Amino acid sequence: MEGRQEGDYYYVDIDDRLNERYGIVHKLGHGTFSTIWLAIDEETRKYVAIKVEIAQSDGSEGDVLTDISQSLANSNISNDKKLLIPTLLDRFEISGPEGTHPCLVTLPARHNLKNAQYNASTELFQLDVARSLAAQLAIAVSIVHEKGYAHGDIHLRNILLQLPSSLDDLSVEKLYETYGKPERRLVEPPKWAESETASTDLSAPTYSVATVCLSVPGHEITLAEAKLTLSDFGTAFRPADKSRYASYADLELRPPEASFEPETPLDFASDIWSLGCAIFEILGNRPLIDGGPTIDDGDFERPGEITVRQVELSGRMPSAWWRRWKERQKWYTEEGRPLLHANRTWPWERRLEEWVQAPRQTSGMETLAEDELAAVLKLLRDMFAWRPSDRPNISKVLSSDWMTRWALPAYQEGLKEQKDLKEPRDLEAHTE
């Protein structure tokens, strides 16, 4: 919970009962603005995830998910596609010392794709799995856009792997036997508080609950198991309803218009840029543009250096932006000629070779054939057009050569393989 005062959170403990219905059995995770808990729904006897937001939350994520969930419930979209978006099963509020905390109830999930990669010995997904995940993510974004929303923060930590429905067959005792009992750890006195205050503050916990490990190493995930859910709609917005000028995405994922046209509202195209970053990272073993080391001193990259990486990928930016970029003279001539030595630049071809193809070959995993590599490169180049109006919309992304010939077929093959497994979660069983 670094970066926030401990008092911002509502303190949940194992065996707590929330909203007179949900019994807490384990901790699933935490973020800057929430903690997430695994609970038993006493009415349906199914496991659910409860996201308990900090007291300062405005509740907008619940509003977005309510709108999308209700729309999907009344649509003819297939169940596997509905599960690509969190299904809001319930929402309520709880009161604590710091105020009122919004709570969102959804289906539980495994860890995110970033954790899955990190836990893999190769830090890679099998190629057919990577293709399927990329297709599912694009479909999820298309659903969000179709409902009028831009997600606003697409990255691998906000993409969760779905849990098998067999989890509901486990009693709490069997759950603990399989995944481990909750582990309590002593909490150090908060750095922001005086020691005397911290020791007498009855609202401050003396311990925290460790997160349960439900993850599977990325390289072990099979095509049938490769089912994702796009999560965290806390920064989602409707471009048609309200102008959004600031991007809340991490710097390395942030679309350039947020920096170079700050007076122009963001739209769906901002998601396309971040989606391109995510697709590359799913295929490879590292982010397309990461936070370090820097070009100069090996420290973490700064905004200007991230822009250099973007120029390496997308070429010279529009003239007005080029003039607005104050640090440009450090790396480029007015005409756009790089001042860096050639071996210190990373164009598309080098990134694909060294971060996708080479690690796959070294790990004995399938690599992309030349025609597929060319199709991926074409799609990503299009998605990284400088101007938002020049990027393909999500429908064109889904109809691109790489999606139709490689990614979507892998997704369909995964659906076929899932038929041999237990049926996916029944949404109706969670809404009785």
Side-chain angles (χ1 to χ4, degrees):
M1 301 182 187
E2 295 179 1
R4 301 207 63 83
Q5 293 187 352
E6 299 293 333
D8 291 342
Y9 296 88
Y10 182 87
Y11 297 109
V12 179
D13 199 1
I14 304 302
D15 296 329
D16 280 358
R17 191 165 178 260
L18 302 185
N19 204 36
E20 300 183 348
R21 174 174 176 176
Y22 303 104
I24 301 298
V25 298
H26 228 312
K27 185 177 182 179
L28 290 174
H30 71 268
T32 306
F33 301 103
S34 64
T35 56
I36 303 95
W37 300 86
L38 184 66
I40 282 283
D41 183 343
E42 296 173 359
E43 293 187 10
T44 65
R45 304 309 303 172
K46 305 288 185 180
Y47 287 105
V48 296
I50 302 181
K51 184 175 187 177
V52 182
E53 300 181 0
I54 61 173
Q56 294 89 336
S57 296
D58 60 8
S60 61
E61 181 174 16
D63 295 338
V64 172
L65 289 180
T66 295
D67 187 18
I68 295 178
S69 293
Q70 290 177 348
S71 178
L72 289 177
N74 297 323
S75 71
N76 294 323
I77 191 172
S78 61
N79 190 58
D80 62 277
K81 290 182 178 178
K82 288 180 180 179
L83 290 171
L84 296 175
I85 307 297
T87 301
L88 189 62
L89 304 172
D90 191 12
R91 61 187 298 194
F92 56 91
E93 295 179 339
I94 50 179
S95 297
E98 299 300 318
T100 301
H101 300 258
C103 299
L104 307 178
V105 183
T106 60
L107 297 178
R110 293 189 188 275
H111 285 185
N112 58 62
L113 293 193
K114 191 65 178 178
N115 285 135
Q117 278 188 330
Y118 181 78
N119 291 330
S121 59
T122 61
E123 296 190 0
L124 291 163
F125 297 110
Q126 299 294 338
L127 185 54
D128 58 349
V129 168
R131 291 167 178 151
S132 176
L133 291 173
Q136 291 176 63
L137 179 57
I139 294 170
V141 173
S142 73
I143 293 171
V144 176
H145 286 192
E146 182 183 341
K147 304 307 176 186
Y149 292 95
H151 183 276
D153 196 18
I154 298 171
H155 57 79
L156 265 59
R157 289 185 176 85
N158 280 342
I159 305 168
L160 308 179
L161 286 168
Q162 296 176 25
L163 276 167
S165 59
S166 57
L167 182 75
D168 289 326
D169 297 333
L170 301 180
S171 65
V172 174
E173 292 74 18
K174 191 65 176 178
L175 177 83
Y176 290 161
E177 181 181 326
T178 304
Y179 296 106
K181 293 183 178 181
E183 178 185 347
R184 291 181 171 88
R185 298 172 179 172
L186 290 176
V187 173
E188 295 292 331
K191 295 179 181 179
W192 50 267
E194 296 292 338
S195 59
E196 293 183 2
T197 302
S199 63
T200 58
D201 183 2
L202 298 180
S203 68
T206 58
Y207 60 85
S208 65
V209 180
T211 300
V212 62
C213 182
L214 302 176
S215 63
V216 176
H219 67 285
E220 295 182 6
I221 297 172
T222 67
L223 192 57
E225 295 170 331
K227 299 181 290 182
L228 64 76
T229 298
L230 176 60
S231 70
D232 201 340
F233 284 72
T235 61
F237 64 101
R238 292 181 67 97
D241 291 350
K242 185 177 181 180
S243 296
R244 167 77 63 80
Y245 297 91
S247 172
Y248 298 101
D250 292 341
L251 277 175
E252 59 269 23
L253 305 173
R254 191 171 299 171
E257 60 268 25
S259 300
F260 294 102
E261 282 190 352
E263 68 284 353
T264 302
L266 298 173
D267 60 14
F268 301 111
S270 62
D271 275 352
I272 299 300
W273 182 282
S274 300
L275 174 61
C277 292
I279 289 174
F280 180 94
E281 192 171 357
I282 288 171
L283 288 170
N285 69 347
R286 62 180 295 171
L288 176 63
I289 301 173
D290 59 22
T294 64
I295 295 167
D296 291 334
D297 55 19
D299 199 355
F300 288 106
E301 288 199 5
R302 294 174 285 274
E305 292 166 328
I306 289 175
T307 302
V308 172
R309 301 307 187 194
Q310 294 172 341
V311 172
E312 290 174 351
L313 298 173
S314 300
R316 190 179 187 276
M317 64 179 70
S319 297
W321 296 12
W322 193 252
R323 291 191 298 270
R324 183 174 289 181
W325 184 19
K326 296 179 180 179
E327 300 176 274
R328 187 264 309 161
Q329 295 180 357
K330 185 176 180 180
W331 294 293
Y332 291 94
T333 65
E334 178 63 32
E335 296 74 25
R337 181 172 57 84
L339 300 177
L340 295 174
H341 193 278
N343 65 4
R344 300 176 71 186
T345 61
W346 288 82
W348 277 111
E349 292 79 4
R350 185 178 180 186
R351 292 171 195 253
L352 285 166
E353 176 57 34
E354 297 197 22
W355 298 347
V356 178
Q357 296 289 73
R360 288 187 170 280
Q361 188 172 27
T362 301
S363 302
M365 301 174 75
E366 184 182 0
T367 59
L368 285 73
E370 287 188 13
D371 55 346
E372 182 177 4
L373 196 63
V376 167
L377 180 57
K378 171 66 167 61
L379 173 60
L380 292 177
R381 283 189 188 279
D382 290 346
M383 297 175 75
F384 275 76
W386 284 113
R387 293 198 178 280
S389 59
D390 292 334
R391 295 173 207 152
N393 60 28
I394 192 60
S395 295
K396 290 183 178 179
V397 170
L398 283 168
S399 63
S400 67
D401 189 37
W402 183 68
M403 280 286 172
T404 56
R405 293 179 60 190
W406 286 279
L408 289 169
Y411 167 56
Q412 293 298 328
E413 182 61 29
L415 293 179
K416 292 179 182 178
E417 293 187 11
Q418 289 166 23
K419 291 182 179 180
D420 296 330
L421 303 176
K422 188 171 182 178
E423 287 299 311
R425 285 180 174 272
D426 181 3
L427 295 182
E428 296 297 327
H430 286 266
T431 55
E432 294 175 351

